[in-house]
Amino acid sequence: MPSHLTRLVFRSIIANRPVLYRGCVHSPPSPRTAASFRNGWPTCQQRGFLNLFKPARKIKDPDVPPGLGTLLDLAHMQSIAARPPPPSDVAQALNIFFTKYDKKPEDFHLRAAMNAYNYIQATPKSDGQPWMSAPELLKILRSLRRRAPGSGKASLAFARLLHEELNARQKAAEPDLAIYQLSDLPAFLNILCLNGAALEARELAATTLVGPITPDTPFPMVRAILATWTYVLKGFSREQNQEGLLQTVDIIRRLSVPFTPNMQQLLVAFFVQKADFEQAKHWYLQPTATPQGLKDIEPNVHTHALILKACALDGDPSFGQQVVASLLKDLPTKAAWDAIFLWSAAIGKGVDEVDRMMNVMVRRNDEWRREDPARPVVCPDIDTINALVELCMSRKDPYSAERYIALGEKRGILPNAKTYCMQIAYRLSANDIDGARAAYYGLQGEQLDDQSTEVVNKLIQAMCGSKRHHFDDVMAVVDDLHERKAQFVPQTIAMLCTLHLQRGESDDAVDLLQIHTYHYAPEQRAIISGKLAEFIMNRDNSTADAWDTYQILRQVFQETPRHVRVRLMNEFFARRRSDMACHIFFHMRNHASLDVRPDGDAYATVFTGFARNADAESLELIHNQLKLDLNVELDTKLRNSLMLAYAATGNNRRALEFWAEIVASKEGPTYRSIAIAFRSCEGMPWGDQHAKPIWRRLKEMDIDVDKEIWTAYLCAIARNQLHDEAVQMLETVEEEYGFTPDLYILSNWFNTTTNSERQRKVEAWIRQRYPAVWTEMEGLGHYKTMDGFGYRQFHINRDLDP
């Protein structure tokens, strides 16, 4: 590059021409300038008089999860067969990552962590001791229970490795692992069940954590056994494995493990979801026991609610009446009343009727308390309201949900975080974005969990997609989430970046990406980079904004694949900025990854772009790069693109040299090669003397000539002023080849007749023979060359693909 620029400078000086740099992004200057040149991103400088001494804004540093940088460095060094980091550094980074990273690790993070773990296991200390202690391994195992969506396989594999190591150390009688079976083995089994390995978890539990549970069994053992078998039931339920679920219940009974209300709830919920009401009733009627298995107890409130809701909506109303009667037989508890209210709403009773039932509940409770003041106060609370609102949401009835919330407020029941989350969700489902934003204000004082964070992300996305909402309103919600360190999903970050870029705030977009993108897996990062690519491809956005966005994409998302970069390169070719497209190509050419570097198709694409932009300087530059590229071999398609590019830039003799190479190559020419060769003959003096031998050889070899090749030869003849021969071809074409002269043939013939007098003859001939086609041609519109004083050209597309 330095020698090329020097040569360009000296040639310009000798020729007394100004030195022009084709890579200039803003030429001519745009009335709206972007931020100053920064981080290798060429943009215009913008500095007012009063801002002369104001320091430039500093872009935030990438927020990389603690320890992850070392783990990724290890993987990179291993991939290029270079010296990896010291095992001590890797062990420290692994420990720091799982100690300080407060978000759910993605599959990408876990794969890097597992690779680091295998590395330090394979390279122990000089005394043979491992780099990580048993408590550190236990800490990592516990953290794997925080499962991000899509991280199942890596989490499962890593947990198995840790379990094997901990088992091996336990057999070696390490004192740190004396309680592993009781405290952390259930955590490992839970990880198995969360990630589709419930059968493996059941087999391990049946040999380690078994009954019987008696009153003398220590409570830690009781807790571990019940937690383990509940995890196993949840695992089979999550996998929708009915056979495995029922077999697990049989094993639980055979091992004398108590069938607890939580286990019953899992089974009832499973069969209610499958619409198997008979099985749901069967398990609802099964007796349950306390953890020590001493006595039968009632199903919990969630089980009552599930069965009553199923009875009302899909099952047997008479059985629901029996359940309600059993709940009212004795003094109903608060949970029983909640289930009854839910049943009443599910069978169609309105909000006012449920309100009257609540009055009955309060009145009866007051009467009982007057008889026995020791009885607990039973009255509706926010859990009661939330259950009713949730029912309305399942029925897609936001109006009734609003009425139940208003009913609660009338009774002095204040909404909690769950209430506000549901309110945001059902208002968004009704496209009431203003109402959802108002509900979010109530959520601001509450603690955010995964469900509420997900709902708020949907609110931000809806506000970004709405044209009515002010930017400051969106950013108020975003800033609040930032202050509370909530998790942003990739779709939200993508929409916020687009919003900033539409407002010309590239600095804010970069800051947002620097904070969040390094916490995402590659698949999630691809969502954001895809949105940025869409912004670049949108012609409503200016070329300057598109180029600034590309620079952000290149800097932050270096893993952007080749096919996306080629699409962006074609976009700048379409915008008539081949200099920018050339920059994109060089960024691919200099990329560290072989998967991103240009292949033969990418070279063919860039040469085709130079052809359509008639950019001779960039063509020569990239052609020289092709000569130095040892990974790309010339084939017919690549030679076609070179022939097309040199023909379009006026170097037709050089173009025909590629035609000669194609003819002499083992692969040989394609139909497109022949059409491009005739196109090369159009723009050179006495080009007919090169076109006619090609045509003659086609006829001698009895090649099946299609309309594109025939039209290309016609244009080569017409462009070389052989008007009579062109007319003769047109008069015999139907008889010889079966083509009827149409808009494609005749418009190309007219446009390649580069003489005003001959164009009048062509017009007269077409008007006489094909008046309908001439009418179509006039409908295309035309312009005149030489600033309106030359020959006419109809608006047709004569581009050829290689």
Side-chain angles (χ1 to χ4, degrees):
M1 284 299 294
S3 61
H4 169 75
L5 290 176
T6 304
R7 188 167 60 250
L8 176 64
V9 169
F10 280 110
R11 285 179 179 175
S12 300
I13 293 173
I14 293 172
N16 195 24
R17 292 181 307 195
V19 179
L20 299 177
Y21 174 51
R22 297 183 61 83
C24 181
V25 180
H26 299 281
S27 54
S30 173
R32 185 187 64 77
T33 56
S36 60
F37 184 92
R38 181 188 58 255
N39 291 337
W41 304 340
T43 56
C44 287
Q45 184 182 13
Q46 182 179 8
R47 184 178 64 185
F49 173 73
L50 295 178
N51 293 330
L52 183 64
F53 302 103
K54 185 177 180 180
R57 174 174 174 178
K58 184 180 179 181
I59 294 296
K60 293 183 178 179
D61 294 328
D63 184 14
V64 182
L68 183 62
T70 303
L71 305 184
L72 297 180
D73 286 343
L74 170 65
H76 176 65
M77 292 301 178
Q78 290 174 330
S79 66
I80 62 175
R83 177 182 295 177
S88 58
D89 293 350
V90 175
Q92 183 181 9
L94 190 62
N95 192 28
I96 289 173
F97 176 76
F98 284 101
T99 302
K100 296 186 177 180
Y101 191 53
D102 56 353
K103 298 177 182 177
K104 295 180 180 179
E106 299 287 344
D107 189 58
F108 170 68
H109 301 146
L110 294 178
R111 284 199 301 266
M114 186 165 55
N115 175 67
Y117 173 77
N118 289 328
Y119 170 70
I120 61 175
Q121 287 293 100
T123 54
K125 296 180 180 179
S126 57
D127 58 358
Q129 295 299 314
W131 289 101
M132 301 192 72
S133 65
E136 290 174 338
L137 295 180
L138 287 171
K139 187 184 299 181
I140 296 175
L141 181 64
R142 296 186 196 110
S143 68
L144 293 179
R145 290 177 296 181
R146 297 184 301 146
R147 177 178 175 270
S151 62
K153 292 183 179 179
S155 179
L156 188 61
F158 198 11
R160 284 170 175 160
L161 287 176
L162 294 173
H163 174 66
E164 291 175 5
E165 176 65 16
L166 290 169
N167 259 348
R169 295 193 186 187
Q170 187 182 36
K171 291 177 182 178
E174 285 196 24
D176 292 331
L177 291 172
I179 59 170
Y180 172 62
Q181 295 290 336
L182 292 181
S183 61
D184 290 286
L185 181 58
F188 170 65
L189 297 176
N190 187 22
I191 295 169
L192 294 179
C193 296
L194 285 171
N195 297 288
L199 182 59
E200 180 184 348
R202 188 178 71 186
E203 292 174 354
L204 184 57
T207 59
T208 54
L209 295 169
V210 297
I213 294 178
T214 65
D216 298 329
T217 305
F219 180 73
M221 177 63 76
V222 173
R223 183 175 58 188
I225 292 174
L226 293 180
T228 296
W229 288 105
T230 305
Y231 292 150
V232 173
L233 288 175
K234 284 182 180 179
F236 283 113
S237 176
R238 186 178 289 107
E239 296 171 19
Q240 294 294 305
N241 187 344
Q242 180 175 336
E243 182 180 358
L245 188 69
L246 296 178
Q247 288 176 355
T248 303
V249 177
D250 293 337
I251 294 172
I252 289 173
R253 288 173 171 170
R254 189 167 64 248
L255 295 175
S256 299
V257 175
F259 184 67
T260 63
N262 287 338
M263 296 179 183
Q264 181 189 47
Q265 179 189 337
L266 285 170
L267 287 160
V268 172
F270 177 81
F271 289 107
V272 165
Q273 184 182 7
K274 291 179 69 69
D276 189 347
F277 188 67
E278 292 302 319
Q279 282 278 13
K281 284 198 299 183
H282 169 76
W283 291 107
Y284 174 77
L285 295 173
Q286 293 297 307
T288 57
T290 61
Q292 276 75 21
L294 295 179
K295 62 178 180 179
D296 296 342
I297 56 176
E298 287 289 324
N300 61 31
V301 60
H302 300 290
T303 308
H304 286 312
L306 283 168
I307 199 68
L308 287 175
K309 186 177 177 181
C311 289
L313 301 180
D314 305 309
D316 184 2
S318 61
F319 183 77
Q321 293 288 356
Q322 295 176 20
V323 173
V324 171
S326 67
L327 293 176
L328 292 174
K329 181 172 57 177
D330 298 324
L331 297 179
T333 61
K334 164 66 170 51
W337 277 112
D338 287 349
I340 293 169
F341 294 147
L342 190 66
W343 157 259
S344 302
I347 61 175
K349 291 188 177 181
V351 179
D352 295 334
E353 293 178 271
V354 173
D355 185 25
R356 286 193 289 272
M357 293 176 65
M358 290 181 180
N359 291 332
V360 172
M361 166 190 178
V362 173
R363 186 173 62 253
R364 291 182 63 180
N365 180 71
D366 291 341
E367 293 173 356
W368 293 331
R369 280 181 55 79
R370 281 196 294 269
E371 297 175 1
D372 184 4
R375 287 177 178 173
V377 177
V378 177
C379 62
D381 59 7
I382 192 58
D383 293 331
T384 309
I385 300 299
N386 286 345
L388 294 168
V389 172
E390 196 169 3
L391 173 67
C392 296
M393 290 180 63
S394 67
R395 289 179 159 184
K396 297 181 179 179
D397 185 7
Y399 175 71
S400 296
E402 289 284 0
R403 291 193 64 192
Y404 278 119
I405 293 177
L407 172 63
E409 292 176 349
K410 184 184 74 172
R411 290 181 169 272
I413 303 172
L414 298 179
N416 61 5
K418 183 177 181 180
T419 314
Y420 289 123
C421 285
M422 291 189 294
Q423 197 170 37
I424 294 172
Y426 68 69
R427 286 179 177 178
L428 287 177
S429 67
N431 201 28
D432 181 11
I433 301 176
D434 290 329
R437 183 164 62 92
Y440 173 75
Y441 293 144
L443 189 63
Q444 283 182 307
E446 303 288 343
Q447 185 70 30
L448 294 180
D449 56 10
D450 291 343
Q451 179 186 5
S452 55
T453 302
E454 180 183 357
V455 170
V456 177
N457 271 272
K458 291 180 180 179
L459 171 62
I460 296 173
Q461 294 172 32
M463 294 176 70
C464 290
S466 173
K467 304 295 184 182
R468 299 184 297 107
H469 291 87
H470 197 272
F471 175 77
D472 293 338
D473 296 334
V474 179
M475 297 315 298
V477 181
V478 173
D479 292 341
D480 181 59
L481 284 190
H482 272 139
E483 290 177 4
R484 300 163 80 173
K485 299 187 182 301
Q487 179 75 24
F488 285 79
V489 299
Q491 292 82 354
T492 303
I493 299 300
M495 298 191 74
L496 287 172
C497 279
T498 303
L499 187 63
H500 281 304
L501 292 171
Q502 288 172 344
R503 293 169 50 86
E505 299 169 348
S506 59
D507 288 342
D508 294 316
V510 174
D511 284 344
L512 194 65
L513 294 174
Q514 294 284 74
I515 293 172
H516 294 281
T517 53
Y518 297 97
H519 295 267
Y520 296 138
E523 299 79 11
Q524 296 172 314
R525 288 168 59 88
I527 296 173
I528 306 174
S529 62
K531 198 71 175 178
L532 296 180
E534 289 180 14
F535 182 86
I536 298 171
M537 301 287 289
N538 187 352
R539 297 288 173 82
D540 292 336
N541 301 318
S542 69
T543 302
D545 287 341
W547 180 251
D548 289 342
T549 304
Y550 165 73
Q551 295 293 351
I552 296 173
L553 180 69
R554 180 175 72 90
Q555 294 289 336
V556 180
F557 301 94
Q558 296 184 10
E559 73 278 9
T560 304
R562 180 195 301 130
H563 68 90
V564 175
R565 295 172 186 258
V566 170
R567 283 177 51 213
L568 300 180
M569 186 173 66
N570 280 331
E571 172 63 22
F572 284 105
F573 276 131
R575 290 175 180 262
R576 297 297 175 186
R577 291 306 302 262
S578 61
D579 53 336
M580 295 179 177
C582 189
H583 277 297
I584 296 176
F585 186 86
F586 268 107
H587 295 154
M588 284 194 290
R589 181 80 169 77
N590 298 325
H591 201 278
S593 174
L594 290 175
D595 295 333
V596 178
R597 292 178 189 173
D599 57 1
D601 289 338
Y603 273 101
T605 300
V606 74
F607 290 139
T608 304
F610 292 147
R612 293 174 182 173
N613 285 264
D615 188 350
E617 182 182 345
S618 298
L619 168 61
E620 182 181 356
L621 190 62
I622 301 300
H623 190 192
N624 289 335
Q625 294 294 319
L626 174 62
K627 296 174 184 177
L628 299 174
D629 198 331
L630 302 180
N631 297 318
V632 178
E633 294 184 3
L634 283 174
D635 58 4
T636 297
K637 181 179 180 180
L638 196 46
R639 289 189 175 99
N640 284 347
S641 64
L642 283 165
M643 179 167 52
L644 185 63
Y646 276 102
T649 55
N651 196 345
N652 294 279
R653 290 192 179 276
R654 183 74 179 95
L656 288 178
E657 290 178 10
F658 288 107
W659 165 252
E661 291 180 16
I662 292 172
V663 172
S665 68
K666 184 177 181 179
E667 186 179 357
T670 61
Y671 272 73
R672 196 56 56 83
S673 305
I674 300 169
I676 297 173
F678 284 135
R679 177 67 60 85
S680 304
C681 297
E682 287 184 18
M684 62 187 306
W686 296 284
D688 57 298
Q689 296 180 10
H690 298 273
K692 286 181 178 179
I694 299 175
W695 183 254
R696 192 181 309 117
R697 190 172 180 182
L698 292 177
K699 300 186 73 174
E700 290 173 355
M701 298 178 66
D702 199 21
I703 300 296
D704 186 16
V705 176
D706 62 9
K707 185 166 73 171
E708 185 180 42
I709 292 178
W710 187 90
T711 305
Y713 177 62
L714 172 70
C715 292
I717 294 299
R719 186 68 180 269
N720 283 277
Q721 314 303 325
L722 300 179
H723 175 72
D724 294 336
E725 289 188 31
V727 171
Q728 185 179 359
M729 287 179 63
L730 285 161
E731 289 176 344
T732 60
V733 62
E734 282 194 75
E735 182 180 346
E736 269 190 78
Y737 299 99
F739 308 143
T740 301
D742 57 5
L743 179 65
Y744 173 75
I745 294 174
L746 297 178
S747 61
N748 273 277
W749 176 38
F750 187 93
N751 275 19
T752 52
T753 304
T754 56
N755 180 282
S756 298
E757 182 180 350
R758 288 196 179 93
Q759 279 190 346
R760 284 192 287 272
K761 294 181 180 180
V762 171
E763 178 183 350
W765 191 90
I766 297 174
R767 281 180 178 274
Q768 180 182 359
R769 301 294 185 92
Y770 302 99
V773 176
W774 179 257
T775 303
E776 288 184 67
M777 290 172 60
E778 287 185 320
L780 297 174
H782 69 274
Y783 65 95
K784 286 190 175 183
T785 60
M786 304 177 189
D787 295 328
F789 295 97
Y791 51 87
R792 286 183 293 170
Q793 293 285 281
F794 284 106
H795 294 293
I796 60 173
N797 184 7
R798 298 196 69 226
D799 292 337
L800 292 176
D801 293 322

